[in-house]
Amino acid sequence: MYVTKLPDLTSSWLPAEGDKQETHPASMALGDLMASRLVHYSSSPSPSPSPSMAAPTPPLPNHHHNHVTDDLPVANGPEPRNGLEVAEVEKPAPVVYLPQVVVVLCEQRHEGIDEAAAAAGPSTSGLVSKWRPKDRMKTGCVALVLCLNISVDPPDVIKISPCARMECWIDPFSMAPPKALENIGKTLHSQYERWQPKARYKLQLDPTVEEVKKLCNTCRRYARSERVLFHYNGHGVPKPTTNGEIWVFNKSYTQYIPLPITDLDSWLKTPSIYVFDCSAAGIIVKAFLERLDWSSSSSSSSQKDCILLAACEAHQTLPQSAEFPADVFTACLTTPIKMALHWFCKRSLLRGSMDHSLIDQIPGRQNDRKTLLGELNWIFTAITDTIAWNVLPHDLFQRLFRQDLLVASLFRNFLLAERIMRSANCSPISYPLLPPTHQHHMWDAWDMAAEICLSKLPQLIADPNAEFQPSPFFTEQLTAFEVWLDHGSEDKKPPEQLPIVLQVLLSQSHRFRALVLLGRFLDMGPWAVDLALSVGIFPYVLKLLQTSAMELRQILVFIWTKILSLDKSCQVDLVKDGGHAYFIRFLDSLDAYPDQRAMAAFVLAVIVDGHRTGQEACIHACLIDVCLRHLQPENPHDAQAEPLLLQWLCLCLGKLWEDFAEAQLLGLQSNAPEILIYLLSEPQPEVQCLHISSVLSFASFTIYLLNIWSCQVRASAVFALGNLLDMGSTSSNGADDDSDDDEKVKAEINVVRSLLQVSSDGSPLVRCEVAIALTRFALGHNKHLKSVAAEYWKPQTNSLLKSPPSLANISSPNNVYSPNNIRQGSSGLASHIGPVLRVGSDSSATGRDGRVSTSSPIATSSILHGSPQSDDSSQHSDSGILLRDNASNGGLSYTRSRPADSVIYSQYISTMCSVAKDPYPRIATIGRRALSLIGVEQVVMKNSRFNSGGAHQGETSAPPSNFGMARSSSWFDMNSGNFSIAFRTPPVSPPQHDYLTGLRRVCSMEFKPHPMNSPEGLADPLLSSAAAPSNADLSILPKSTIYNWSCGYFSRPLLTGSDDNEEAHARREERGQITLDCIAKCQRSSACKMTSQIASWDTRFDSGTKAALLLPFSPIVIAADENEQIRVWNYDDALPVNSFQNHKLSDRGLSKLLLINELDESLLLAASSDGNVRIWKNFTQKGGQKLVTAFSSVQGHRAAGRSIVIDWQQQSGCLYASGDMSSILVWDLDKEQLLSTIQSSGDSAISALSASQVRSGHFAAGFADGSVRIFDVRSPDRLIYMARPHAPRTEKVVGIGFQPGFDPYKIVSASQAGDIQFLDVRRAAEPYLTIEAHRGSLTALAVHRHAPVVASGSAKQMIKVFSLEGEQLTIIRYQPSFMGQRIGSVNCLSFHPYKSLLAAGAGDNALVFIYAEENYK
């Protein structure tokens, strides 16, 4: 819901939340950022105000008593009766404006429950699950093979002078060759050990083939399934052969012995990594790849788990320049910082002024980031990671840089080797092959960092106590990342600084800012979370949960919210590391914002979602107590401002209790039901009156409206309560001797009692959760419910059938239908089923308000519909109910019910029968599933409807077949041959209306029917005799929608200030301007004669046109008939646009069509005669209509004659509904909740309703006795005006409306007798103008919202248009055709909201006519 702000002169309104404009520095805490930018999850910002225009308002007319018969002209009447002159009456300001309106039903939840049911919550597979490395790997053993043969050059090498001589930074000619070889080997060992200190190292110096074989076998034996590194230095042997053989020595060092690479591979096996530092090393790589291709069919994993690093390509020789060490490739791989600085120093501006020996004296340790050497290593790691991240495919990056620490280090250093050796015309190669990276621009950042380091080096060496100044590298990179966040998006190149942000998290000085920026990035969408997880963010943020830094709490909670909203699998890691305790502590802290604590509740809900270890850990950490404590704050009004927190506290509890009996018991013992039930409460009239009477402005009233529990909170509370119900309840097996079980069952009964009270909630989201929870109850208490249902519908003798027993007395196992019990029959199930399944004696049914209701269907000679004594179900039911009873074969055992439970069981059955007829299809489906579980099933029958309009053949409806429902054509067919009692042919029953068509029952007392399989292959669950819920039962248990739907909220951006795009704002502004122009034109027009018929549409309705509606901004007219077929037509092009059925139920009848959200994406409200309201979107798209919401507007009140009246008030977002009952129901469509029930203060039914479009909370009601009343929901007394303008006539008021313009004090009322009365509530109860429009045949009245004109229609095929002064402007009798046919009996009239257009629907020929002024274009 959001509020559209437009200039309003009648009342003030609250500023929309989105109107506040605040700026935020990028470096501020994410918690503060959220507090100021996070818009409430159910609100959107207000659009820009539309301009206003000035225009004159029509003067207040003098009183006229015009007597207009069907054939006589208009005559003036006497002067005003109260003697007041027109000038004395206060006139409204002559300004054209649009009142402020509430835009409703436009939130994410209104995309539909079906979509919510299909929506996935946090997943364990899909987009973001790919980030987690499939196989964590470790290099367990390292084999170092050095073939140097110092002082003997190989025969194929011609060295230059001076020549590169250093091996592992040691000059081999500075000491004896054996000593040099030993030192070089030890140094190489120590250099590798720096990268992987826990590995086993094996060294072979100038080995033979046998020594190499032994080395390899030993390493594989030690490593087992871990990776083995094989490092080969072949500087003292010839180049590899073309066959891929490397050289070693014989025992006497007199020959070079070739070692095939195939042998090496067979010894080391996989997984393995090879480093070849020798000339022409590319030959080895080539031979290796050929072997892998050849053996791919037999050892497909070999190629995947082998990694090769080679110093140069097959045709290249290692650099011999003295500028480099002889093992420059090994130096890059094992001592990258030293190698990089030596290489850079010789190419920088410092080369002439700096002593190269100082590089070996850089102070600090590589693992200490607060030292110069540690910072250089840190920067180098960040830069090489960044280069790899931006160049490599993500799966290859994961494998090489995140799977194995040693492999990751070698590949980072390999990037440096490529850069340095390419400068010497030597190209290192690898497998897997990497793209070139030596010219990546991030190397410039490394050069700058190296230069800053070298410039500080002399000072730091000279003064060891000098203060260390950190490099600006990370600060600058974070700034670059922030700039990307300000301008980047999913469609643009990803931020290359993401790996640097990961490294920055290691630093306490940069951590806070890095987390804030990371949170902003994750908020951009699932793709951003996927990127962050792929780069390796997870272990870092997991470890940060061990910190106690208070300033990081809000940021970490937000980051984990984003991660878990897309990948549920992280729950295991969190519980394993004790991370759940971190979020429980944050949830329990009061110094955080409610929305942030809601995120912590969400994280905890994901942790316990289907994860028993997580549930147990959170129970031990007292999560239940924490959640319940914050669900009942000290000041109840505080909680009403925190709907998101309340919602997720409930969802967290629900997931904690889900399928976990121990947690359910703890919840019941903690008084959880009572706390949660409070959230289901609707506003009490007494409290409401007290609150409203204490305020004077509508703004305060609006605050009150916004404080009612949102439907998300109510649905979440129902979800939690439903998960307190144990589907394996002891009531299922009749074990009632245990006191603890008794207490548990009593608590569950109380929960169900509360759920039954909200089963008619206005939100489908809430009702769906109620239906699911009640289905769980049907599983847990299956046998008792079956017993109650079967006992009620059990066939008896004819005398007893006339008065069914009270269900309240079925608690006794030896219950006999005594006369005493029979006389109490009105107090059991029948009284709770009400008009839905009303059962009783011949006495009349009494309505809820105590008055006699003649519409309640009462079966006077049979038990409901469908018993053997009545054929009403077989002739008049469309979707009957079948009760399955396996009394004697173990399928149903009559165990003793607890006395306190019986009434609830009967109420449960009656409620589920109503749920099975819910206007929202998914909810009705769930209701039928629940009934099928207790033995009540739907059967396919034909329906012949009888009503006052004649008989209409009903359609054959096939019920859903996924409940294992039985199909049968009659009671006799279902039982012939299988039933011991002989039934005679059912007698014909008088026709009657059936709101829930016949319930049918199948008894197979001594006969076990064959299991009937549904199309899905599930056996009929009703035939199972198992005490506990069977797999079939669990499989048909519908899945909850609220949890997955709510999870979607956190996967969407939360830090953006607006959900509306610029296009929507522009459309609103444009429509607002068009509306103001049209209103000004309407107000200036003096006579709208409506003489030009611009369109005629044959709707082809079978029963005539019941309602018509003109859309405000397109040439579209919508019409509907009594059978609730809705058709959309373009009257400019004379083409059909769309056609659809309002619903497919058997009970049909349309009351009214209304348009919601006129200035935005409009919604179509179709109100049925039975009080059900359905609201549609995309209704002007062919086949694209979509049900937004549906509910019963009369909440159990079944109006006689199906005479529901309804109207909509856009300003307040309220829907008013009434009919043949003593009350008017006010619905808040934003909260989808019954806001108030107003007593009509009259003895007759309400026949017409009209809501003021000027003053919020005002509406007028016309009654069947001809009286008129005006109500104000803000007033303590509600009733503010009452009159009988049509006296002495007593015909019902057909139409009522507020007069055109912005004067809220004048109304127009028309009665069936044909008179139209004009009243001013400020003057007196008498009308100031009377028009005798028709002679006892007035059927419709339309009052234009802005033009000074009203229209009336007659059953005598006539339409008349009058001015506000009573002048007859137009009379329409004939169509403008050659034959001049009559227009037909007028069923409905409707003006265009802002133009001088009139739509009229005929009842006998199904035509819709559209009239306009003569100059209409």
Side-chain angles (χ1 to χ4, degrees), residues 194 335-338 341 359-381 446 453 457 460 468:
R194 187 181 300 123
T335 57
I337 304 300
K338 185 175 182 178
L341 291 180
I359 295 176
D360 298 330
Q361 304 175 41
I362 296 178
R365 301 185 307 275
Q366 281 196 349
N367 57 358
D368 186 356
R369 289 182 295 273
K370 294 183 179 180
T371 63
L372 184 57
L373 183 60
E375 186 180 59
L376 275 174
N377 185 64
W378 186 26
I379 295 173
F380 178 81
T381 301
W446 166 252
C453 164
L457 191 54
L460 289 174
F468 171 70

Side-chain angles (χ1 to χ4, degrees), residues 789-796 863 865-868 881-887 892 894 935-937 939 971 974-975 979 983 998-1005:
E791 195 74 21
Y792 181 77
W793 281 297
K794 188 174 182 179
Q796 301 295 324
I863 299 180
H865 310 292
S867 69
I881 301 296
L882 174 139
L883 178 67
R884 186 169 296 283
D885 177 4
N886 301 316
L892 178 64
Y894 292 96
V936 181
E937 294 190 357
V939 294
W971 176 276
M974 285 186 284
N975 296 278
F979 195 61
F983 291 116
L999 291 185
R1000 309 211 60 195
R1001 171 180 178 273
V1002 171
C1003 286
S1004 50
M1005 288 184 168

